[in-house]
């Protein structure tokens, strides 16, 4: 790919910065995350902004401010539109600029405007804004900029505006059991159109003429929307780069993202360190080792995002071995070949060299934060707990292989629940193990109802007993300190209903029903990731047809999209783009990039977000309530 997504994304942020001079900027969470990876808030101030505020009805600025710039990652409808109205009516702005990452077509659909002119929704919004400003002679500008992508590396990008899009509904009524766009909830339909439009924009900027393949119901719906996008025919006609776009639903393999992968440094960091507040990809790095003050609460956290750096640290985190990452970081930080290559020694060196030395810190600011993220993850007090979880998962799978059923493993899990305090296992960790187990075994092994009820009952009592300890849990929005046992039992029943649905999520697949590799009763079962299986088939010259990959084609007579078997092989094109709807891990990214690069392909891997096991659990709980 001659043009990088990073360069293209940067172009649009340059346009944003042209608009903010002498303005107060209101920015929503998803756009703030995108900006974080494109220079951060300092970039806005360096471009002449007077203030930067959260896009919220509760924010205000002095009445002397006359220009406002609003940057939002979603369509300006419903809640976003109400917030915009609240902010404008509470102030005396004479000049308003609204920048949205959603296209005019998405606004047309969301606002149910009719007609051939996609700009009608924007014109209507302009008039509404002038009304809120209380003077039709004031100035309003509306722009649709595709600010949706965060190029984390030259081969990996995420799209924060869609970080909560998850192709699984644990509740049942809104489960996506078919590929009909019209059956989706209305807000999800708008989100799907927005995502399809965003992918169309990326393909257009990369000069791509693509063949689209999909696996999973939501991915197929998105593929259909992209195929039927009004700009797709002209883009393909003029594009010069042949490419393959493969869309995958995350929920088909939850086992891979609920497993604690301690070998991949990026995954280890995201499992060990807390997320940067409001972010789906970055982490909060403790900076006290280089600060005079050792009060963690008084020091702003560091992070991984340093796009101005020429050192490919995130590439190292994605693909490097632990010792190689440590060696390279020490070499960059101290400009010498390290004599000892341990995280403890590296951390001690950083602290003794940089603590309170502001000139040195400023000179190495980015690489120091990234280095501290690595050493903190390798020396974290949580490592023993995470390693124990890995061992527990292995023992449970070994029990299933030896018994050829799940009864013994689930009885062992009951023991884990009862001894959770002695083992320092939180309810969240126990639920993460259950999620991993149910997704992994799928329908390969039957889970007997009486054993499952035993686990369910014990888990409900554990949640009730620990209800005062769940303030930092993903369950805290559901389980409160005064929750009654009856409501917790009902909640636990819902959790197991979700788990059963999760275990059957691959039932419609033909080749990829199982994620298990069974090497006999003396060996534990092991995870054979769906992405690994797909890569194997894509690279297998004997595999001319992959039944679980479907492609879309326009029916010119009826105007509908039909599913059909692909006439071409996905590997026929030199450019391969994978997009996982619902999130992916660093390990999966490494598998895709290294395998496709070895096959001589240009590869780009994208997703709605990065995932840790805790992120996965949170999204599953959210999708069920």
């Amino acid at each position: 790919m001659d043009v990088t997504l990073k360069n293209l994304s940067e172009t649009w942020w340059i346009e944003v910065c042209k608009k903010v001079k002498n303005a107060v900027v209101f920015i929503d969470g998803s756009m703030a995350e995108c900006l974080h990876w494109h220079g951060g808030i300092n970039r806005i101030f360096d471009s002449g902004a007077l203030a930067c505020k959260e896009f919220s009805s509760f924010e205000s600025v002095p009445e002397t401010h006359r220009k406002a710039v609003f940057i939002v990652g979603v369509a300006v409808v419903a809640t976003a539109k109400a917030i915009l109205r609240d902010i404008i009516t509470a102030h005396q702005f004479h000049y308003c600029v609204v920048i949205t990452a959603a296209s005019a077509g998405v606004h047309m659909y969301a606002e149910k405007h009719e007609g051939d002119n996609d700009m009608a929704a924007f014109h209507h919004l302009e008039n509404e804004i002038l009304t809120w400003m209380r003077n039709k002679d004031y100035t309003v500008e509306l722009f649709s900029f595709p600010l949706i992508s965060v190029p984390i590396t030259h081969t990996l990008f995420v799209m924060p505006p869609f970080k909560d899009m998850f192709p699984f509904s644990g509740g049942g009524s809104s489960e996506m059991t078919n590929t009909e766009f019209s059956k989706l909830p209305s807000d999800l339909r708008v989100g799907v159109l927005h995502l399809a439009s965003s992918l169309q924009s990326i393909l257009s900027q990369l000069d791509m003429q693509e063949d689209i393949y999909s696996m999973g119901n939501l991915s197929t719906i998105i593929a259909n929307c992209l195929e039927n996008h009004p700009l797709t025919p002209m883009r393909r006609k003029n594009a010069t780069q042949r490419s393959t776009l493969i869309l995958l639903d995350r929920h088909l393999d939850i086992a891979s993202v609920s497993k604690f992968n301690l070998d991949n440094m990026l995954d280890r960091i995201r499992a060990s360190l807390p997320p940067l507040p409001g972010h789906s990809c970055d982490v909060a790095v403790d900076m006290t080792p280089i600060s005079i003050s050792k009060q963690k609460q008084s020091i702003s956290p560091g992070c991984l995002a340093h796009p101005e750096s020429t050192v490919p640290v995130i590439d190292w985190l994605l693909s490097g071995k632990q010792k190689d990452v440590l060696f390279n970081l020490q070499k960059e930080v101290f400009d010498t070949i390290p004599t000892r290559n341990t995280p403890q020694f590296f951390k001690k060196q950083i602290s003794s060299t940089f603590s309170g030395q502001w000139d040195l810190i400023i000179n190495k600011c980015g690489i120091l934060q990234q280095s501290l993220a690595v050493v903190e993850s390798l020396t974290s007090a949580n490592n023993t707990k995470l390693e124990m979880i890995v061992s527990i998962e292995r023992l449970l799978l070994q029990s299933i292989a030896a018994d050829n059923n799940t009864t013994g493993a689930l009885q062992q899990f009951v023991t884990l629940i009862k001894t959770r305090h002695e083992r320092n296992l939180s309810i969240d960790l126990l639920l993460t193990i259950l999620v991993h187990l149910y997704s992994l075994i799928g329908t390969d092994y039957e889970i007997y109802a009486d054993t499952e009820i035993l686990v369910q009952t014990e888990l409900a009592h554990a949640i009730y007993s620990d209800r005062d300890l769940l303030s930092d849990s993903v369950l805290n929005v559901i389980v409160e300190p005064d929750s009654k046992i009856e409501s917790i039992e009902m909640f636990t029943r819902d959790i197991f209903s979700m788990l059963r649905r999760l275990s059957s999520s691959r039932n419609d697949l033909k080749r990829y029903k199982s994620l298990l590799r069974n090497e006999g009763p003396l060996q534990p079962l092991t995870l054979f990731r769906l992405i690994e299986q797909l890569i194997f088939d894509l690279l297998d010259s004997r595999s001319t047809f992959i039944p679980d990959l479907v492609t879309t084609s326009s029916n010119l007579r009826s105007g509908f999209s039909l599913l059909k078997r692909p006439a071409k092989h996905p590997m026929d094109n030199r450019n391969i783009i994978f997009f996982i709807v619902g999130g992916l891990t660093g390990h999966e990214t490494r598998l895709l990039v290294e395998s496709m690069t070895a096959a001589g392909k240009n590869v780009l891997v994208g997703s709605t977000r990065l995932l840790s096991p805790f992120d996965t659990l949170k999204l599953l709980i959210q999708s069920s309530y």
Side-chain angles (χ1 to χ4, degrees), residues 374-416:
V374 170
V375 297
E376 284 175 27
S377 69
L378 293 173
T379 59
S380 170
N382 288 327
N383 282 344
T384 302
K385 187 188 301 182
L386 297 181
E387 289 164 2
M388 180 173 62
I389 296 298
V390 174
S391 298
I392 288 171
E393 291 172 350
R394 188 182 299 116
L395 287 172
L396 292 176
L397 293 177
Q398 189 169 8
S399 175
I400 294 173
D403 300 341
N404 202 31
N405 62 61
T406 61
T407 301
L410 290 179
Q411 288 173 343
Q412 290 179 43
F413 190 81
V414 170
T415 302
L416 286 176

Side-chain angles (χ1 to χ4, degrees), residues 592-612:
L592 291 168
V593 171
E594 290 186 352
S595 60
M596 294 298 114
T597 302
K601 304 297 182 181
N602 297 322
V603 61
L604 189 61
V605 179
S607 185
T608 49
R609 61 175 298 150
L610 295 182
L611 282 177
S612 72

Side-chain angles (χ1 to χ4, degrees), residues 496-530:
F496 277 83
S497 176
M498 177 268 289
L499 291 171
R500 287 191 292 273
R501 297 174 73 82
L502 190 60
S503 66
S504 62
S505 59
R506 295 183 297 278
N507 282 0
D508 293 335
L509 299 183
K510 299 175 178 63
R511 185 172 295 182
Y512 305 127
K513 285 183 181 294
S514 178
L515 301 179
L516 287 172
R517 189 186 276 120
N518 192 341
E519 298 176 353
L522 299 181
Q523 298 294 326
L525 301 170
T526 55
L527 169 64
F528 190 15
R529 292 174 173 82
L530 188 149

Side-chain angles (χ1 to χ4, degrees), residues 1 15 95 107 175 187 220 323 336 365 431 492 576 597:
M1 300 176 189
E15 292 301 312
Y95 184 5
H107 283 82
E175 181 74 51
D187 57 341
T220 299
K323 63 177 183 179
T336 59
C365 186
L431 286 173
T492 310
I576 312 292
T597 302

Side-chain angles (χ1 to χ4, degrees), residues 63 131 147 165 196 219 276 325 411 452 509 561 568 622:
E63 293 185 2
T131 300
L147 304 167
M165 184 178 286
S219 286
L276 200 62
V325 173
Q411 288 173 343
E452 184 178 75
L509 299 183
S561 286
K568 294 177 60 179
Q622 287 177 348

